[in-house]
Short mmCIF file of all heavy atoms in Angstrom, two decimals:
data_model
loop_
_atom_site.label_atom_id
_atom_site.label_comp_id
_atom_site.label_asym_id
_atom_site.label_seq_id
_atom_site.Cartn_x
_atom_site.Cartn_y
_atom_site.Cartn_z
N SER A 419 103.42 101.44 67.85
CA SER A 419 102.93 102.65 68.48
C SER A 419 102.91 103.75 67.42
O SER A 419 103.94 104.01 66.79
CB SER A 419 103.84 103.07 69.64
OG SER A 419 103.49 104.35 70.09
N PRO A 420 101.78 104.39 67.18
CA PRO A 420 101.72 105.42 66.16
C PRO A 420 102.58 106.63 66.48
O PRO A 420 102.86 107.45 65.61
CB PRO A 420 100.24 105.79 66.08
CG PRO A 420 99.58 105.15 67.23
CD PRO A 420 100.49 104.14 67.81
N ASP A 421 103.02 106.75 67.73
CA ASP A 421 103.85 107.88 68.13
C ASP A 421 105.33 107.66 67.87
O ASP A 421 106.13 108.57 68.02
CB ASP A 421 103.65 108.16 69.63
CG ASP A 421 102.20 108.46 69.95
OD1 ASP A 421 101.52 109.05 69.09
OD2 ASP A 421 101.75 108.10 71.06
N GLU A 422 105.71 106.45 67.48
CA GLU A 422 107.12 106.11 67.25
C GLU A 422 107.39 105.90 65.76
O GLU A 422 106.49 105.54 65.01
CB GLU A 422 107.47 104.81 68.01
CG GLU A 422 107.31 104.90 69.50
CD GLU A 422 108.32 105.83 70.14
OE1 GLU A 422 109.49 105.87 69.68
OE2 GLU A 422 107.94 106.54 71.08
N PRO A 423 108.64 106.08 65.31
CA PRO A 423 108.97 105.78 63.92
C PRO A 423 108.77 104.28 63.64
O PRO A 423 108.99 103.44 64.51
CB PRO A 423 110.45 106.14 63.81
CG PRO A 423 110.75 107.00 64.99
CD PRO A 423 109.76 106.63 66.05
N GLN A 424 108.37 103.98 62.42
CA GLN A 424 108.06 102.59 62.06
C GLN A 424 109.09 102.00 61.08
O GLN A 424 108.81 101.02 60.41
CB GLN A 424 106.66 102.52 61.44
CG GLN A 424 105.58 103.09 62.32
CD GLN A 424 105.51 102.44 63.69
OE1 GLN A 424 105.67 101.23 63.81
NE2 GLN A 424 105.28 103.22 64.71
N ASP A 425 110.29 102.57 61.04
CA ASP A 425 111.30 102.06 60.11
C ASP A 425 111.68 100.61 60.41
O ASP A 425 112.01 99.85 59.50
CB ASP A 425 112.54 102.96 60.07
CG ASP A 425 113.15 103.19 61.44
OD1 ASP A 425 112.45 103.01 62.45
OD2 ASP A 425 114.33 103.54 61.49
N HIS A 426 111.58 100.20 61.67
CA HIS A 426 111.89 98.81 62.02
C HIS A 426 110.89 97.84 61.38
O HIS A 426 111.25 96.73 61.01
CB HIS A 426 111.93 98.62 63.54
CG HIS A 426 110.61 98.82 64.20
ND1 HIS A 426 110.09 100.07 64.44
CD2 HIS A 426 109.69 97.94 64.64
CE1 HIS A 426 108.91 99.96 65.01
NE2 HIS A 426 108.64 98.66 65.15
N LEU A 427 109.62 98.25 61.24
CA LEU A 427 108.64 97.40 60.56
C LEU A 427 109.02 97.20 59.10
O LEU A 427 108.93 96.10 58.56
CB LEU A 427 107.24 98.03 60.63
CG LEU A 427 106.50 98.00 61.95
CD1 LEU A 427 105.16 98.72 61.82
CD2 LEU A 427 106.29 96.58 62.41
N ILE A 428 109.46 98.26 58.46
CA ILE A 428 109.83 98.19 57.04
C ILE A 428 111.08 97.33 56.87
O ILE A 428 111.14 96.47 55.99
CB ILE A 428 110.04 99.60 56.46
CG1 ILE A 428 108.72 100.38 56.52
CG2 ILE A 428 110.56 99.53 55.04
CD1 ILE A 428 108.85 101.84 56.18
N ARG A 429 112.08 97.55 57.73
CA ARG A 429 113.32 96.75 57.63
C ARG A 429 113.05 95.26 57.81
O ARG A 429 113.55 94.43 57.07
CB ARG A 429 114.33 97.23 58.66
CG ARG A 429 115.06 98.46 58.25
CD ARG A 429 116.29 98.69 59.13
NE ARG A 429 116.87 99.96 58.80
CZ ARG A 429 116.57 101.12 59.39
NH1 ARG A 429 115.69 101.13 60.37
NH2 ARG A 429 117.15 102.23 59.01
N SER A 430 112.25 94.92 58.80
CA SER A 430 111.98 93.50 59.03
C SER A 430 111.14 92.91 57.89
O SER A 430 111.35 91.76 57.49
CB SER A 430 111.30 93.27 60.38
OG SER A 430 110.03 93.86 60.41
N ALA A 431 110.21 93.69 57.32
CA ALA A 431 109.43 93.20 56.18
C ALA A 431 110.33 93.01 54.96
O ALA A 431 110.17 92.04 54.21
CB ALA A 431 108.30 94.16 55.86
N LEU A 432 111.29 93.90 54.76
CA LEU A 432 112.24 93.75 53.65
C LEU A 432 113.09 92.51 53.84
O LEU A 432 113.34 91.76 52.89
CB LEU A 432 113.14 94.98 53.53
CG LEU A 432 112.50 96.24 52.94
CD1 LEU A 432 113.41 97.44 53.15
CD2 LEU A 432 112.21 96.04 51.47
N ASP A 433 113.55 92.26 55.07
CA ASP A 433 114.36 91.07 55.35
C ASP A 433 113.56 89.79 55.11
O ASP A 433 114.09 88.80 54.61
CB ASP A 433 114.88 91.08 56.78
CG ASP A 433 115.96 92.14 57.00
OD1 ASP A 433 116.54 92.62 55.99
OD2 ASP A 433 116.21 92.48 58.17
N GLU A 434 112.28 89.81 55.50
CA GLU A 434 111.45 88.61 55.37
C GLU A 434 111.12 88.26 53.92
O GLU A 434 110.75 87.13 53.64
CB GLU A 434 110.15 88.79 56.16
CG GLU A 434 110.37 88.75 57.66
CD GLU A 434 109.10 89.05 58.44
OE1 GLU A 434 108.01 89.17 57.82
OE2 GLU A 434 109.20 89.18 59.67
N THR A 435 111.27 89.21 52.99
CA THR A 435 110.99 88.89 51.59
C THR A 435 112.02 87.93 51.03
O THR A 435 111.71 87.15 50.13
CB THR A 435 110.97 90.15 50.70
OG1 THR A 435 112.28 90.73 50.67
CG2 THR A 435 109.94 91.14 51.18
N GLY A 436 113.25 87.97 51.54
CA GLY A 436 114.30 87.09 51.04
C GLY A 436 114.83 87.50 49.69
O GLY A 436 115.60 86.78 49.06
N THR A 437 114.47 88.67 49.21
CA THR A 437 114.91 89.17 47.91
C THR A 437 116.19 89.97 48.09
O THR A 437 116.33 90.72 49.04
CB THR A 437 113.82 90.05 47.29
OG1 THR A 437 112.61 89.31 47.22
CG2 THR A 437 114.21 90.51 45.90
N GLY A 438 117.11 89.82 47.15
CA GLY A 438 118.35 90.59 47.17
C GLY A 438 119.35 90.03 48.15
O GLY A 438 119.10 89.05 48.84
N PRO A 439 120.51 90.68 48.22
CA PRO A 439 121.57 90.18 49.10
C PRO A 439 121.32 90.45 50.59
O PRO A 439 122.03 89.92 51.42
CB PRO A 439 122.81 90.94 48.62
CG PRO A 439 122.30 92.14 47.93
CD PRO A 439 120.96 91.78 47.38
N GLY A 440 120.31 91.24 50.92
CA GLY A 440 119.99 91.46 52.33
C GLY A 440 120.52 92.77 52.86
O GLY A 440 119.81 93.76 52.85
N PRO A 441 121.78 92.83 53.33
CA PRO A 441 122.26 94.08 53.91
C PRO A 441 122.45 95.16 52.84
O PRO A 441 122.52 94.87 51.66
CB PRO A 441 123.60 93.69 54.54
CG PRO A 441 124.02 92.46 53.85
CD PRO A 441 122.77 91.78 53.38
N GLY A 442 122.51 96.39 53.30
CA GLY A 442 122.77 97.49 52.38
C GLY A 442 121.55 98.33 52.06
O GLY A 442 121.64 99.29 51.31
N VAL A 443 120.39 98.01 52.63
CA VAL A 443 119.19 98.79 52.39
C VAL A 443 119.09 99.88 53.45
O VAL A 443 119.24 99.63 54.63
CB VAL A 443 117.92 97.91 52.42
CG1 VAL A 443 116.68 98.75 52.28
CG2 VAL A 443 117.98 96.87 51.34
#
């Protein structure tokens, strides 16, 4: 929804990369 923050999209995309230790971003 363009009316809502999209930080969850970024977090899930970062998790899906599999790069780094994961938590802490």
Side-chain angles (χ1 to χ4, degrees):
S419 170
D421 301 327
E422 299 292 323
Q424 304 303 321
D425 55 339
H426 66 282
L427 286 178
I428 297 171
R429 280 194 187 91
S430 65
L432 285 168
D433 289 342
E434 289 175 7
T435 65
T437 304
V443 175

